[in-house]
Amino acid sequence: MEPLYQYAWLIPVFPLVGAMIVGLGLISFNEATNRLRQVNAVFIISLLGASMVMSFALLWSQINGHGEYTQMIEWAAAGNFHLEMGYTLDHLSALMCVIVTTVALLVMVYTDGYMAHDAGYVRFYAYLSIFSSSMLGLVISPNLVQVYIFWELVGMCSYLLIGFWFDRKAAADACQKAFVTNRVGDFGLLLGMLGLYWATNSFEFDVMGERLENLVSSGTIAPALAALFAVLVFLGPVAKSAQFPLHVWLPDAMEGPTPISALIHAATMVAAGVFLVARMYPVFEQIPVAMTTIAWTGALTSFLGATIALTQNDIKKGLAYSTISQLGYMVMAMGIGAYSAGLFHLMTHAYFKAMLFLCSGSVIHGMEGVVGHDPVLAQDMRLMGGLRKYMPLTSLAFLIGTLAICGIPPFAGFWSKDEILGLAFQANPALWVVGWSTAGLTAFYMFRMYFMTFEGDFRGNDLGIRAKLTAAATPVFGPGAMDVKELDHDTHEEADDHGHGHSHSPHESPLTMTLPLLILAIPSTVIGLLGRPWNNTFEGFISAPGEVIEEVAHFDWTEFAIMAGNSVGIALIGITVASLMYLRHKIDPAAIAEKFPALYQFSLNKWYFDDVYDRVFVMGCRRLARQIMEVDYRVIDGAVNLTGLATLVSGEGLKYLENGRAQFYALIVFGAVLGFVIVFSVV
């Protein structure tokens, strides 16, 4: 197996080569390259498939006991400073490589159907390939500097992919918002990274942790300063993994094509933040303040995302807030020291959330045949309903993903989420309460999405609803939902009559789109069994650096039943309430919204974060810029203009004294001398 490790650097290089070749073709021979659409797609998918095969081989080798492998070369040297680059392969990097390559490959297959008629089809594949390369480079990076390089490359790819349809203002604004928000976190990461190097003289993860612990224990560095460095580093994951308060970019990022939502904003890029926390665990675990900050940031984010998702009508934005909430669970797990539990949830979530996003894309693809290519209509769940009859495979996959994320056994999400909640209860019961209540909210809003989309009657042809949706930017039914009993079925007409779609009913997506859904449904169902608590093979494979896993002599079934019963019980309550409101219509959502208008508006307006940020930062920066412009115009330009005017006036006056006559110059000198004599005589 040793040659496999020696050539493992090819894992990120293969998709990079694909992106370079296709990109050069687009630059040099644009028309010819765009005509070879599926040839380019097969080429890029094949190269990523080679990376996936190597990733699985490495994972299998690690499972069978191969030790950690690191290959380094000296990149830069100056005096005592030496910077090395290379790659490292251990249990964590091998697992992340498999997650990235499998999800990326299935997303690329799905893209062939979803983007079939898009003019940017080939360009989109090139972007997907370079993103996959950047993410794979990040997960095998051996030190913090190399992580930072690929971290920024991943951010650049995110900018390109979110703004893929850059001619749409919403997409252009969304990619800029994501870019700026992530720059805030990345600046903190850079400051923390430099601070840690100043303190430890190293960028190696293990070395930084060991030296920082010694420096703090010996009193060389104040604990507060070490905590500051750690929190600054954590700002990077806060932005990249959409944690409070830098979470605002992720829902807007849904303006990109749906395959991007599945690849970047559910399974891989946003998971990079959790991955970096895992890599930096040797540093964080030595600093209680940092661990507490991480835990409560994750807990608050999970609750925040769940409460906002309650009132979302856009199917993709609902899943986006769900992603924010689930990422909060992972970060909370890292903060309480549940290292393997957090990474276990990262793995299970990657598969079922990628499937849910791809299902939403399948739904949008089917709805566009009825309502046209208008995201306001094609993505709004109030125009859906009854799609299970028209899209059985998509509805089945979405139901499996919903059960998984709700934590219903035996689906994958149950085992990973339940393990986090159990460990949170041991670490801090207050964190468990937040996580437990969030689990109930998750079950409610996910089944709300399922019922509104796939159950009941199809509402896509109701022109009355269409008119209301296009006329008003905010929903009028509550909590953000449509009361199906009040629909005006007399207004049903063919969409073709109004120049929108071409069909009276939606249709199932092609095989290239449904096959990845069915494949992802398999790990979403069974992969969680790796983390069953009585024989947790995942924890035996992935453990915190330096942690020794002790074999449990006796598994406490009573404790497991109580904790699992609590988490499943609150989920069942959420499902029941959702069914009463959106399936059986025993409870009127509008009445609840009217009864609690403040809470409803608070959720609907996303806790007013966007409004506050717009007023404080956007408008505040504009006001500051205008004031600076006034200073520049009146003071700086005024001083320059005054100097120029003085020069002009003095020059105009002095030119009359320059007549070229020596006698006149002598007279001036004599007059000046006489003036000085008189002045000094008087004094």
Side-chain angles (χ1 to χ4, degrees):
M1 296 298 290
E2 202 63 28
L4 175 65
Y5 285 85
Q6 292 173 356
Y7 291 99
W9 54 271
L10 290 171
I11 292 175
V13 168
F14 279 142
L16 178 63
V17 169
M20 288 177 60
I21 292 175
V22 173
L24 288 173
L26 287 170
I27 293 170
S28 306
F29 312 100
N30 186 272
E31 291 185 9
T33 305
N34 275 311
R35 280 198 298 269
L36 300 172
R37 293 162 67 89
Q38 292 194 323
V39 172
N40 284 293
V42 170
F43 174 65
I44 284 177
I45 291 173
S46 300
L47 288 173
L48 185 64
S51 296
M52 185 182 73
V53 170
M54 292 186 69
S55 299
F56 270 106
L58 286 170
L59 180 63
W60 181 251
S61 172
Q62 289 290 306
I63 290 172
N64 286 312
H66 194 287
E68 178 181 334
Y69 182 90
T70 301
Q71 183 72 38
M72 304 292 287
I73 60 170
E74 188 170 82
W75 185 263
N80 294 327
F81 175 79
H82 294 274
L83 178 62
E84 293 184 321
M85 296 289 187
Y87 61 93
T88 185
L89 296 166
D90 56 8
H91 292 183
L92 178 57
S93 58
L95 176 68
M96 289 298 296
C97 283
V98 167
I99 293 172
V100 173
T101 53
T102 51
V103 174
L105 185 76
L106 292 171
V107 166
M108 286 185 179
V109 173
Y110 177 95
T111 297
D112 178 65
Y114 190 84
M115 303 287 286
H117 304 291
D118 196 286
Y121 177 95
V122 177
R123 177 168 60 94
F124 190 71
Y125 268 101
Y127 287 173
L128 286 177
S129 190
I130 194 171
F131 167 77
S132 302
S133 173
S134 302
M135 190 65 199
L136 289 168
L138 190 152
V139 299
I140 65 172
S141 295
N143 57 52
L144 197 51
V145 172
Q146 194 168 329
V147 164
Y148 188 80
I149 293 170
F150 284 105
W151 188 271
E152 295 302 325
L153 282 173
V154 166
M156 179 203 71
C157 295
S158 172
Y159 174 82
L160 294 173
L161 288 163
I162 295 170
F164 181 76
W165 290 320
F166 53 83
D167 53 343
R168 285 171 45 190
K169 185 179 185 304
D173 291 343
C175 69
Q176 291 179 50
K177 185 176 182 179
F179 186 83
V180 171
T181 306
N182 275 275
R183 295 293 71 72
V184 175
D186 293 354
F187 182 62
L189 172 59
L190 179 62
L191 291 178
M193 185 173 76
L194 294 175
L196 287 173
Y197 180 78
W198 168 80
T200 65
N201 201 34
S202 175
F203 289 115
E204 309 296 324
F205 303 111
D206 294 337
V207 175
M208 281 192 297
E210 182 180 345
R211 290 182 182 176
L212 193 64
E213 182 185 12
N214 294 334
L215 290 169
V216 172
S217 60
S218 65
T220 307
I221 288 181
L225 185 60
L228 175 63
F229 294 155
V231 172
L232 284 172
V233 169
F234 178 58
L235 276 179
V238 165
K240 196 72 77 182
S241 290
Q243 299 295 290
F244 165 84
L246 300 178
H247 64 282
V248 292
W249 67 271
L250 184 60
D252 289 35
M254 298 302 108
E255 294 295 337
T258 303
I260 293 314
S261 303
L263 178 62
I264 289 185
H265 307 125
T268 53
M269 190 193 87
V270 291
V274 182
F275 170 80
L276 181 57
V277 175
R279 277 292 189 223
M280 292 294 294
Y281 197 77
V283 174
F284 291 143
E285 70 173 338
Q286 313 296 336
I287 307 170
V289 173
M291 295 293 281
T292 303
T293 302
I294 293 170
W296 279 105
T297 299
L300 180 57
T301 304
S302 67
F303 185 74
L304 178 149
T307 54
I308 297 175
L310 297 175
T311 56
Q312 296 300 307
N313 293 316
D314 186 308
I315 188 170
K316 286 176 67 176
K317 287 194 175 180
L319 291 174
Y321 281 108
S322 170
T323 300
I324 292 172
S325 182
Q326 297 304 308
L327 289 167
Y329 271 109
M330 301 173 207
V331 172
M332 180 178 73
M334 290 293 174
I336 61 175
Y339 180 90
S340 61
L343 292 173
F344 185 37
H345 196 53
L346 185 154
M347 178 182 70
T348 60
H349 176 266
Y351 290 112
F352 64 67
K353 184 53 68 64
M355 180 178 65
L356 285 168
F357 266 112
L358 294 182
C359 285
S360 73
S362 179
V363 167
I364 294 166
H365 183 268
M367 287 293 295
E368 285 177 341
V370 180
V371 301
H373 295 275
D374 183 355
V376 173
L377 301 178
Q379 296 176 196
D380 200 300
M381 293 182 290
R382 290 170 292 178
L383 270 176
M384 299 176 188
L387 296 187
R388 180 165 56 89
K389 179 172 64 175
Y390 305 105
M391 311 178 73
L393 296 178
T394 301
S395 68
L396 175 62
F398 198 96
L399 179 60
I400 290 173
T402 301
L403 291 168
I405 196 173
C406 293
I408 304 299
F411 296 95
F414 164 74
W415 306 102
S416 56
K417 186 185 291 187
D418 189 69
E419 185 177 358
I420 292 174
L421 290 176
L423 293 171
F425 186 80
Q426 297 176 16
N428 188 336
L431 290 171
W432 175 83
V433 170
V434 176
W436 178 76
S437 58
T438 301
L441 296 175
T442 301
F444 172 80
Y445 69 69
M446 285 305 304
F447 268 91
R448 168 184 176 268
M449 294 176 66
Y450 176 78
F451 292 143
M452 289 181 69
T453 305
F454 295 102
E455 301 296 337
D457 298 323
F458 180 61
R459 305 181 288 274
N461 295 307
D462 194 312
L463 299 183
I465 305 175
R466 291 198 199 181
K468 291 176 182 177
L469 295 182
T470 53
T474 55
V476 294
F477 302 93
M482 168 75 59
D483 188 349
V484 183
K485 294 180 291 184
E486 296 179 359
L487 297 180
D488 183 5
H489 295 283
D490 295 332
T491 60
H492 284 197
E493 295 181 29
E494 283 285 348
D496 263 334
D497 297 340
H498 295 269
H500 292 294
H502 52 75
S503 175
H504 185 77
S505 59
H507 55 82
E508 184 62 274
S509 299
L511 182 63
T512 52
M513 294 175 65
T514 54
L515 182 61
L517 302 181
L518 299 177
I519 293 174
L520 285 168
I522 297 172
S524 300
T525 305
V526 302
I527 202 169
L529 295 173
L530 293 173
R532 57 193 185 278
W534 57 88
N535 186 17
N536 195 327
T537 54
F538 185 88
E539 187 176 3
F541 181 68
I542 296 290
S543 57
E547 181 184 7
V548 178
I549 302 298
E550 298 180 3
E551 203 168 314
V552 180
H554 175 69
F555 178 69
D556 192 339
W557 282 98
T558 303
E559 181 183 351
F560 171 73
I562 293 172
M563 297 305 300
N566 273 290
S567 62
V568 174
I570 192 68
L572 292 176
I573 292 173
I575 295 170
T576 303
V577 174
S579 66
L580 291 174
M581 293 176 69
Y582 300 100
L583 182 63
R584 302 183 181 277
H585 309 294
K586 301 292 186 183
I587 303 175
D588 184 9
I592 297 177
E594 292 173 2
K595 190 174 182 180
F596 304 100
L599 291 176
Y600 172 60
Q601 291 297 326
F602 195 64
S603 172
L604 186 64
N605 290 285
K606 299 169 276 191
W607 287 31
Y608 296 97
F609 273 105
D610 284 326
D611 303 89
V612 172
Y613 287 177
D614 181 70
R615 180 168 298 181
V616 174
F617 296 111
V618 178
M619 302 307 296
C621 287
R622 287 178 180 173
R623 282 193 296 270
L624 179 62
R626 281 194 294 269
Q627 292 167 0
I628 292 174
M629 187 175 66
E630 286 293 318
V631 173
D632 179 70
Y633 178 73
R634 297 183 183 278
V635 179
I636 308 300
D637 282 359
V640 173
N641 293 338
L642 181 61
T643 304
L645 180 62
T647 304
L648 178 64
V649 171
S650 61
E652 283 291 329
L654 290 172
K655 74 179 182 180
Y656 295 106
L657 303 177
E658 301 292 332
N659 54 18
R661 297 174 62 185
Q663 299 92 326
F664 184 70
Y665 297 155
L667 180 62
I668 292 174
V669 172
F670 176 75
V673 171
L674 182 61
F676 277 115
V677 169
I678 293 171
V679 169
F680 283 109
S681 298
V682 173
V683 173

